[in-house]
Amino acid sequence: MKPPAPPASLSSSERAIHAPAWLPTLFAVACGLIVANLYYAQPLVGPIAAELGLSPGLAGLLVTLTQIGYGLGLLFIVPLGDILENRRLVLTLIAACAVSLAATALVRNAPLFLAAAAAIGFTSVTVQILVPWSAHLATEANRGRVVGNVMSGLIIGIMMARPVSSFVASLWGWHAIYGLSAGLMAALAALLLFILPRRQPDANLHYGQLLASLWQLARSQPVLRRRAFYQACLFGAFSLFWTTAPLLLTGPAFGLSQRGVALFALAGVAGAIAAPISGRLADRGHGRMMSTVAMLMVAAGFLISLVAQDGSTLALALLTLAAIVLDFGVTANLVTSQRVIFALGAEFRNRLNGLFMATFFMGGAASSAIGAWAYAHGGWSLACWIGLALPAAALVFFLSERHG
């Protein structure tokens, strides 16, 4: 006997709660595979820049352009999740991402690579349509847990991207990771074509009204503005660390190979456990405490990495610990912040998420470029002190807030 259909009077977000229980797990897997595309270049900045003829001071553009493309997609593509049928939108973006990855694997000059990298970022915003969609699958009481579980898949994708790309590059060169991912995106699109349900939002807006409403939301939601600033600082620290740490590890002080960098990057995967933990704690009303701890952990990560002399075994161990602590803090604040902003309104959840993500990814893009410049001119020490200033600024602003 078939279960009764939800009443026709329910909104699209309310009807989504009746979706299959396994759907958030599918979203978590898809998010992890897609978001990895944004991070494959981070540990490969050195060899890619060398082959494309980019100077060390401009090497950070390899990461920055992808993040800028992602930020633009967050502003101009993700809001469409509030008005367009979500399944078709997701499939179209994944297919476009596959094409962009294939182009990146084939190009041999810097301008074309940077253009393709920006396109990868622009089309990878699919994950930020799937994350708000997962919030529609939940009730108010367990929304943090559901979003946290989906985000743990996304975070695992972020953390695994660096070791996987380093390992693949050590075997077949850096072009291979982009070709492999292009094939993976094509396969994912084919799978989701048969599995994803339809979701048609109730909003009746045209695209111009949709974009205009972004400014209105940004002005009218102080919680959104604050949470976006906190995460911009923390994600900026994250991007700076993971752009410059591979340069340090492959430099003369440590002399690691790409395989060595891959093993180091695996340490960051431990940060994925922060997503479900912080989601559950946020559901229980402990969001403010989690954000405070998160900011302190990110700051502590940079301090830990400065304790020992570069090149020593102790320094490598402390740098690994710093990566774990820093990634845990960034993830914890991300999930806590999403739990807070998703509660502001279901009808504009994609727009809230787009504004939130665009703000902090722009912080990440700027910090990647600043990190590469700082490392080229002042070494690891200068990069770390700049990184430390970011969570410190977030914490000072956060402590001035009466409600978390």
Side-chain angles (χ1 to χ4, degrees):
M1 181 177 178
K2 293 183 179 181
S9 60
L10 292 180
S11 69
S12 62
S13 60
E14 291 170 322
R15 288 195 296 271
I17 295 174
H18 297 266
W22 48 261
L23 197 55
T25 301
L26 173 64
F27 282 12
V29 173
C31 284
L33 294 174
I34 297 166
V35 80
N37 296 319
L38 301 174
Y39 298 93
Y40 288 140
Q42 280 189 340
L44 306 178
V45 166
I48 294 176
E51 182 171 331
L52 297 180
L54 287 173
S55 67
L58 295 176
L61 288 175
L62 298 171
V63 177
T64 298
L65 264 294
T66 303
Q67 292 178 337
I68 288 175
Y70 192 73
L72 292 174
L74 289 167
L75 289 175
F76 294 103
I77 298 295
V78 169
L80 289 171
D82 284 336
I83 61 172
L84 296 184
E85 198 279 304
N86 283 192
R87 177 177 176 271
R88 181 180 298 176
L89 180 59
V90 164
L91 292 174
T92 300
L93 288 170
I94 295 175
C97 187
V99 173
S100 302
L101 286 159
T104 307
L106 296 173
V107 299
R108 293 294 188 274
N109 66 77
L112 288 179
F113 181 94
L114 293 174
I120 290 171
F122 191 74
T123 53
S124 293
V125 295
T126 314
V127 295
Q128 299 308 333
I129 296 169
L130 292 174
V131 172
W133 194 348
S134 74
H136 290 298
L137 306 177
T139 63
E140 176 63 25
N142 72 345
R143 184 166 294 128
R145 178 177 62 81
V146 171
V147 172
N149 288 340
V150 172
M151 287 300 297
S152 31
L154 186 148
I155 299 301
I156 288 172
I158 293 174
M159 303 308 177
M160 288 300 296
R162 292 183 291 264
V164 167
S165 66
S166 293
F167 183 73
V168 170
S170 72
L171 294 176
W172 302 298
W174 63 264
H175 295 276
I177 188 62
Y178 292 103
L180 289 172
S181 188
L184 188 59
M185 289 300 102
L188 178 63
L191 174 65
L192 295 180
L193 177 64
F194 295 100
I195 293 179
L196 274 185
R198 287 177 53 85
R199 178 181 177 269
Q200 179 62 56
D202 295 333
N204 186 22
L205 299 172
H206 61 67
Y207 188 58
Q209 292 173 319
L210 188 74
L211 294 182
S213 70
L214 293 176
W215 174 246
Q216 296 168 4
L217 282 173
R219 290 186 61 189
S220 64
Q221 301 292 338
V223 172
L224 171 66
R225 294 196 300 271
R226 279 183 167 268
R227 283 286 166 181
F229 174 76
Y230 305 151
Q231 194 62 23
C233 291
L234 269 59
F235 189 72
F238 171 92
S239 297
L240 184 148
F241 181 91
W242 285 107
T243 298
T244 55
L247 298 175
L248 172 67
L249 293 170
T250 56
F254 289 97
L256 295 187
S257 65
Q258 284 300 326
R259 290 192 184 188
V261 175
L263 291 174
F264 170 80
L266 280 173
V269 177
I273 66 173
I277 293 172
S278 54
R280 285 173 170 81
L281 288 172
D283 281 340
R284 296 171 186 170
H286 302 303
R288 186 169 180 82
M289 178 199 72
M290 281 303 303
S291 288
T292 304
V293 171
M295 294 170 193
L296 290 172
M297 290 182 76
V298 175
F302 284 101
L303 290 174
I304 291 169
S305 69
L306 288 169
V307 171
Q309 181 68 34
D310 288 350
S312 66
T313 302
L314 177 60
L316 183 58
L318 290 175
L319 194 63
T320 304
L321 177 61
I324 295 171
V325 171
L326 187 147
D327 288 359
F328 192 100
V330 173
T331 302
N333 191 69
L334 173 59
V335 174
T336 301
S337 295
Q338 285 183 306
R339 174 66 172 82
V340 171
I341 67 168
F342 286 164
L344 297 176
E347 68 276 14
F348 42 74
R349 198 165 274 156
N350 279 278
R351 279 166 281 174
L352 290 170
N353 195 49
L355 286 167
F356 173 66
M357 290 283 176
T359 302
F360 82 69
F361 259 88
M362 289 302 176
S367 296
S368 293
I370 291 170
W373 174 88
Y375 186 82
H377 292 83
W380 179 249
S381 178
L382 177 59
C384 274
W385 286 114
I386 294 174
L388 176 62
L390 293 169
L395 183 60
V396 169
F397 193 42
F398 180 69
L399 293 177
S400 72
E401 180 184 353
R402 292 186 177 182
H403 304 285

